[in-house]
Amino acid sequence: TQLLEQSPQFLSIQEGENLTVYCNSSSVFSSLQWYRQEPGEGPVLLVTVVTGGEVKKLKRLTFQFGDARKDSSLHITAAQPGDTGLYLCAGATGSNYQLIWGAGTKLIIKP
Amino acid sequence: DADVTQTPRNRITKTGKRIMLECSQTKGHDRMYWYRQDPGLGLRLIYYSFDVKDINKGEISDGYSVSRQAQAKFSLSLESAIPNQTALYFCATSGEGANYGYTFGSGTRLTVV
């Protein structure tokens, strides 16, 4: 069974601090996607990383795909209350590129 | 209009009742999915369809059935609802390929009493 483990499960920090969320697996993925979900809504795609070692930036968010394409990280610089939400990673696998989902990291940024 | 529309948004039903959740998408994608989300368990795949004639079971299909009425429409049925099917249900659609992300609906919060 393929697993994608996210850590930490929960993180509560003050506005302005930096943080990193991790997504780890023993499996190799064709791509790794990050989503953010707000209460009462569905997950929204933030980024897709495809190449081992790839780094993508989205304003204050930096996403990295591991060299072996088994893990990924999301780093947020100077977190703001608007970053609050559930962050989900998902790895595409198999010939049909099915997604394997992490359980999520619940992030709270306090003003 | 939203790319993926789910109805109803909220539903309370009694044990043993049949209930249908509906989903329609305007992305023009062939692939559609039904997930349920429970606290601490993440998203679990119930059924998926890669085109109108293709239906596949996911990891937790027992107690559920689906119908793909058209490229844009994919409905989920609970034949005889039970309390442990109380959850948040999401429909999603995607293109084909590793680069395609999923577009989700806003979800249906289902409570079985």
Side-chain angles (χ1 to χ4, degrees), chain B residues 3-87:
Chain B
D3 291 328
V4 179
T5 301
Q6 290 184 237
T7 56
R9 286 298 310 270
N10 292 282
R11 180 74 182 266
I12 299 174
T13 192
K14 292 184 178 180
T15 297
K17 293 290 188 182
R18 183 179 189 276
I19 181 170
M20 179 182 288
L21 309 183
E22 299 190 5
C23 175
S24 63
Q25 54 102 351
T26 58
K27 299 284 286 185
H29 290 156
D30 286 327
R31 296 186 171 196
M32 297 188 73
Y33 312 84
W34 275 104
Y35 284 91
R36 68 177 276 175
Q37 186 176 40
D38 300 275
L41 294 179
L43 289 165
R44 292 186 291 168
L45 184 63
I46 306 173
Y47 271 94
Y48 62 100
S49 170
F50 284 170
D51 66 44
V52 175
K53 296 181 181 179
D54 176 77
I55 302 288
N56 304 280
K57 293 182 177 180
E59 59 183 295
I60 55 162
S61 59
D62 287 349
Y64 302 94
S65 63
V66 291
S67 173
R68 185 81 184 265
Q69 300 95 328
Q71 184 200 42
K73 296 183 181 295
F74 193 34
S75 60
L76 175 72
S77 293
L78 286 67
E79 298 301 325
S80 179
I82 56 177
N84 76 0
Q85 291 178 313
T86 292

Side-chain angles (χ1 to χ4, degrees), chain A residues 21-39:
Chain A
V21 176
Y22 299 93
C23 186
N24 295 295
S25 177
S26 58
S27 301
V28 176
F29 295 107
S30 303
S31 70
L32 203 295
Q33 302 173 10
W34 285 92
Y35 294 76
R36 190 175 109 197
Q37 183 179 15
E38 298 188 21

